[in-house]
Every structure is written in C-alpha cells, then in structure tokens.
Amino acid sequence: MPDTHALLSPSSSERWIACPPSVRLSEKFDEKPSEYAAEGTAAHSLCEYKLRQILGYEEPDIRENLDYYSEEMESCTDEYRNYILELLNDSCSGKPLMFVEQKIDFSRFVKGGFGTSDCIIIDGTTIHVIDFKYGKGMEVDAVNNTQMMIYGIGALEMFDGIFDINRVVMTIFQPRLSNVSTFEMSKQDLYHWAFTVLQPAADMAYQGAGVLKCGDHCRFCKAKSVCRARAEYNLKLAQYDFKMPETLEDIEIESLLDRLDMFIKWAEDVKEYALEQAVHGKKWNGYKLVEGKSNRKYTNEVAVADKVTKAGYDPYEKKLLGITAMTKLLGKKKFEELLSGLIEKPQGKPTLVSDSDARPEMNSAANAAQDFEEEN
C-alpha cells in the first residue's frame, strides 16, 4: 500500500473544505503515529491481498508477517472480499472490471491532488468506488462524504474518457460496526460539486487563505489544541452569564446544548496538549508533572498461575464468552441456529442529541402521555 499522502488529501477533505487555512496551520505540527492507524493499514493490506487473489494473482501469503493480524481481521476482510464478489456477480453488464488499490489523480480540481482508492469496479455505465474502514470508534456515512466524492472524481478523471460513465456509486464498508453505507450521484452532479465546492476550497487551502472555522471537523486537525479561532469560539461559552439551571429559559438551555459537547472536547484537547508538552519538558507556570495513580499487575502471569496451582488452588475463573466471541466460535449460521432465541438487545441509555442525528426518537414519558391522549 502507498504510504505517501497529498497535502490536500481526500481523507482530510471534510476539514480543509470547511476550514481551508487549517492545512497550512497544521504543517507546523508532526503527525502522531497511532496504533489504530497502523492496525487499519494492516487490515487494508490483507484486503488488497484477498482482492488480488480474485483477480488471479499468485502471491505469497502475507498473514505470517502482518502486524496486528487476528481472527477478527481475518473475518472482517473476508466480509469485505465477499461483498466485492457479490458486486461482481450481480453485475448489470456481465463484464465488470475491478481495480484494486488504484492510484487516482484529481489534480485538475485540487493542486497536487492524488490518492489511492481501495477498490473501483466499472460495470457498464456505472462506476463503483468502495472504501474499506477498519475503525470501530465512529460509524462513517457515505452520504455527502467528501472523501468518497473525491475518490469518485478521481475515478471519473481516470476512466470516464475510456468508458461511457453516467453514474457513480460510492460505498463505505465498515465491518466492525456492521455498517455498509452507499451514496449515489450522477456524473454531472459530481462534476458540478467538484467545480463549485471542491476546487474553490482547495485553492484557498493550498494558499493558506480563507477564514478559520470551528466545527466538528476540528477533531482531526493537528492544530486543534492551539488554534486561536477554536479557542475564541469556545471561550464565548465560558463568558456566558451563568445562572442556576432552574432559572434558565428553555431557549437558553437549547443554545447551550448545541455547544457544550464541542466546548468539552476543546477543553480536553487543550489539557491533552498541555500534558504532552509537559512530558517533553515544558514547564507551565503554576503546574507540575506528577505520577498518577496506577494498579498493581502481575509481572509474569504464567509463573503466577504455576505457583498458585502447585499450592493447591485454581488460579482461573470461568466466564461465558461474549456474543462477538461466541459468534466467532460457532460461526454466524450456527450461532443463529442455536442461540437466536436466547439473545436480547436491552434499550440503550437515553442520550440527548440534535434533530439531525439519524437515530429514531425514543418514546419518552412525555411522548407516551401524548400518544395516550391522542389514542383516547
């Protein structure tokens, strides 16, 4: 897999389209390596290997030397391969073409713009762009997803002159969250977005022009902890003339709800940055670095178990496998056959979110009372 990234990469496009100056601002900060990212890279390598097998390539098995390899990774990449096989088998044209880890160029709209698409399938007048996501921290939606739309533009730039494409279908495959999200656009609509939204934002981002803008996109910005625009946006909340909650008007509470989560995340980011700098020798006036609490742990679990067993005790506790582990043990088909009648999904803890959230509204006590009145 390629390990180079464009300055204006598709993966960070949500941020630089919304906040163009953040690109140049972030150049001052190093990229922090992440185990999650490394694990994702390993999973993508296994995906590539399995799709290349479909294409008939004979290559050495990569599993033995693959970092982070696990049964879960094997299962998830199998699901991805099977999904691709279904797309190929359900082809409308009967002669689909598949391209794996395909280098794409969208520099007509984004200066220096290039990337790599996990999988592209050309099926008649339709081009499929599929992106594998191994992360499980947040469900990713394909609808109006700028990364996927850029991949779609890159695929059109490469293949539209060769094939008569009129439809672009963009899919995010996220097996650890059982998420398969698909978004479709006509070729004309996608190019219109590229000319009117993507290109102007990319030009500003490359030049470092535009206005810094705070929003959800900040969570992936390397400068998020020290960005003055983000600080000023959130500090306005700290300047709020706070009263006891029972004296606040409903409209005041609603206004605060819109911003509290963002404010809390910003405060956490600033604290994390300050701690990181202190660990590297920075001295903050009025603060000092101390050792936090920790729990005792065994230095050698095998030796502990051996000593306790020899002393006549059983050092282990038995525990029923969780649903995910049990599914892997039995297989999905056997799991459903044996245990489908013994599984329930309790109601989740009530969470207050904005109306834009896709989850259905809970039937609260107030709503239930209203329903009862309407029925009667």
Side-chain angles (χ1 to χ4, degrees):
M1 287 185 62
D3 57 1
T4 56
H5 296 279
L7 174 67
L8 302 177
S9 67
S11 60
S12 62
S13 59
E14 179 189 2
R15 172 176 55 81
W16 57 255
I17 289 175
C19 180
S22 65
V23 174
R24 294 301 181 183
L25 184 63
S26 296
E27 284 186 309
K28 304 172 185 177
F29 300 87
D30 295 330
E31 191 74 46
K32 294 181 181 179
S34 161
E35 283 199 7
Y36 299 113
E39 185 182 39
T41 298
H44 273 81
S45 296
L46 189 53
C47 285
E48 179 184 6
Y49 170 74
K50 292 182 178 181
L51 293 193
R52 287 174 65 83
Q53 283 186 316
I54 294 175
L55 292 172
Y57 290 96
E58 294 184 5
E59 300 172 338
D61 195 322
I62 68 170
R63 293 173 180 84
E64 184 176 343
N65 299 314
L66 191 65
D67 292 335
Y68 301 98
Y69 176 75
S70 66
E71 290 184 11
E72 182 181 30
M73 185 178 292
E74 183 72 32
S75 175
C76 288
T77 51
D78 275 350
E79 289 181 39
Y80 172 69
R81 176 201 58 201
N82 294 340
Y83 178 78
I84 300 299
L85 280 171
E86 286 180 16
L87 286 179
L88 295 173
N89 293 333
D90 293 341
S91 164
C92 297
S93 66
K95 297 180 180 179
L97 297 174
M98 179 172 73
F99 301 85
V100 181
E101 291 296 323
Q102 178 63 52
K103 181 77 173 291
I104 55 174
D105 186 308
F106 44 91
S107 56
R108 180 154 70 112
F109 304 97
V110 178
K111 188 171 183 178
F114 68 89
T116 304
S117 178
D118 294 342
C119 183
I120 296 174
I121 296 175
I122 299 173
D123 184 16
T125 60
T126 298
I127 189 164
H128 292 269
V129 179
I130 304 100
D131 192 51
F132 177 82
K133 301 286 188 188
Y134 195 57
K136 58 181 180 179
M138 180 178 66
E139 187 173 290
V140 183
D141 192 352
V143 178
N144 294 317
N145 185 298
T146 58
Q147 179 182 10
M148 296 305 296
M149 292 162 74
I150 292 175
Y151 284 155
I153 284 293
L156 283 174
E157 290 287 277
M158 173 167 284
F159 296 111
D160 190 35
I162 305 172
F163 304 94
D164 185 21
I165 306 297
N166 60 33
R167 190 170 72 116
V168 182
V169 179
M170 297 157 277
T171 300
I172 288 174
F173 190 87
Q174 194 175 14
R176 294 168 94 184
L177 291 179
S178 301
N179 173 39
V180 180
S181 178
T182 298
F183 180 54
E184 179 180 327
M185 293 182 75
S186 69
K187 177 178 73 175
Q188 291 75 15
D189 286 346
L190 190 53
Y191 268 126
H192 178 74
W193 173 82
F195 280 113
T196 61
V197 177
L198 178 63
Q199 190 172 47
D203 288 345
M204 286 193 293
Y206 192 86
Q207 297 165 16
V211 178
L212 289 164
K213 182 180 178 182
C214 182
D216 290 340
H217 51 270
C218 294
R219 65 186 182 276
F220 298 123
C221 182
K222 289 186 287 186
K224 64 184 178 181
S225 302
V226 296
C227 174
R228 183 168 295 279
R230 188 179 182 219
E232 290 175 350
Y233 180 88
N234 284 283
L235 284 173
K236 288 179 182 178
L237 183 63
Q239 296 166 5
Y240 191 92
D241 184 16
F242 283 106
K243 310 168 188 176
M244 292 301 292
E246 60 267 21
T247 68
L248 291 173
E249 300 291 337
D250 287 353
I251 191 171
E252 293 177 295
I253 294 176
E254 289 165 355
S255 176
L256 290 172
L257 286 173
D258 285 341
R259 298 181 56 187
L260 280 175
D261 286 341
M262 191 179 296
F263 178 82
I264 292 169
K265 186 66 178 75
W266 167 73
E268 290 173 346
D269 288 338
V270 173
K271 289 182 67 176
E272 181 181 347
Y273 173 80
L275 174 60
E276 181 183 1
Q277 293 299 305
V279 168
H280 287 86
K282 169 74 174 178
K283 179 65 178 176
W284 299 102
N285 291 332
Y287 289 87
K288 62 182 178 181
L289 197 65
V290 298
E291 184 177 311
K293 294 181 180 179
S294 65
N295 296 320
R296 296 178 300 167
K297 65 178 184 179
Y298 298 123
T299 57
N300 187 324
E301 292 188 358
V302 175
V304 170
D306 182 59
K307 283 184 174 292
V308 174
T309 300
K310 287 179 178 178
Y313 298 93
D314 182 0
Y316 297 103
E317 61 179 3
K318 292 185 178 180
K319 183 179 178 181
L320 188 66
L321 290 175
I323 290 178
T324 301
M326 190 71 78
T327 303
K328 289 180 180 178
L329 174 68
L330 301 175
K332 290 183 178 179
K333 186 175 180 181
K334 196 65 174 179
F335 179 89
E336 290 295 325
E337 178 185 330
L338 294 176
L339 304 176
S340 60
L342 296 172
I343 302 296
E344 67 173 358
K345 191 176 186 300
Q347 188 176 54
K349 181 180 178 181
T351 303
L352 194 61
V353 299
S354 70
D355 286 335
S356 61
D357 193 286
R359 288 170 289 184
E361 186 171 12
M362 283 183 63
N363 191 23
S364 65
N367 289 339
Q370 183 178 347
D371 292 343
F372 178 80
E373 290 176 1
E374 291 175 354
E375 291 176 2
N376 292 274

